[in-house]
Amino acid sequence: MKALLRTKAGQRVLSAALSLNAKRYKTKSRTAEAPTMADLHAVFSAMQQRFNSSAAGDLSAVFQYQITDGEAWNVSVDNGSCKVEQGEHSDPSVTLTMDGQTLEEVMSGETDGMQAFMTGRIQADGDIMLATRLTSIFPPS
């Protein structure tokens, strides 16, 4: 199964299946206010501070965050270093789309990222297996 998930076709099939499953469990929209630019900056700054270089190892990847009610951010991990930038990267390894509240909840550890993905609060495109490593690379506070 893991070998299949490492192929692009396997990742597309898994992504499609999870998207269909997520629609069944999609929660009603929350009425919280959209995060401010300062809120997102604080979340991504904290993320950079929590970077676990030993967990990242020799990984070279770009995590693109599309915040539906805020700005886009990207996080580049390359051979034990981490760089966080506002905006879209030209060639992300994986793109994660979510609202600001979901991002804050996942980064604080209040919500499990995989649970948020399975319930449709987070959508992933690209190498979704990389997204499974986020918790170890950026442990929740």
Side-chain angles (χ1 to χ4, degrees):
M1 181 71 160
K2 286 184 180 181
L4 176 64
L5 292 176
R6 289 188 181 115
T7 67
K8 289 204 181 271
Q11 290 174 5
R12 279 190 232 121
V13 168
L14 177 62
S15 181
L18 291 173
S19 293
L20 287 173
N21 190 45
K23 288 177 185 176
R24 293 178 39 207
Y25 297 101
K26 192 147 189 132
T27 58
K28 295 184 180 185
S29 66
R30 296 167 301 282
T31 57
E33 293 181 25
T36 66
M37 182 70 114
D39 293 339
L40 289 176
H41 190 300
V43 168
F44 283 101
S45 291
M47 184 179 193
Q48 188 168 19
Q49 292 170 356
R50 291 194 322 255
F51 175 66
N52 181 346
S53 61
S54 62
D58 62 354
L59 176 68
S60 182
V62 177
F63 300 91
Q64 178 69 53
Y65 290 84
Q66 295 297 120
I67 310 304
T68 57
D69 54 355
E71 300 291 325
W73 290 77
N74 68 80
V75 179
S76 300
V77 175
D78 189 28
N79 291 317
S81 67
C82 170
K83 183 169 81 172
V84 175
E85 296 181 308
Q86 184 177 353
E88 293 187 28
H89 192 275
S90 61
D91 189 26
S93 306
V94 62
T95 300
L96 303 167
T97 304
M98 68 194 81
D99 63 26
Q101 181 178 352
T102 300
L103 174 68
E104 290 175 359
E105 289 175 8
V106 169
M107 296 311 296
S108 71
E110 180 181 340
T111 298
D112 177 67
M114 185 56 74
Q115 179 184 8
F117 178 74
M118 295 299 288
T119 58
R121 293 179 63 193
I122 297 176
Q123 291 81 43
D125 187 38
D127 187 350
I128 59 175
M129 292 307 292
L130 281 175
T132 64
R133 295 185 60 186
L134 283 169
T135 304
S136 62
I137 297 171
F138 302 98
S141 56

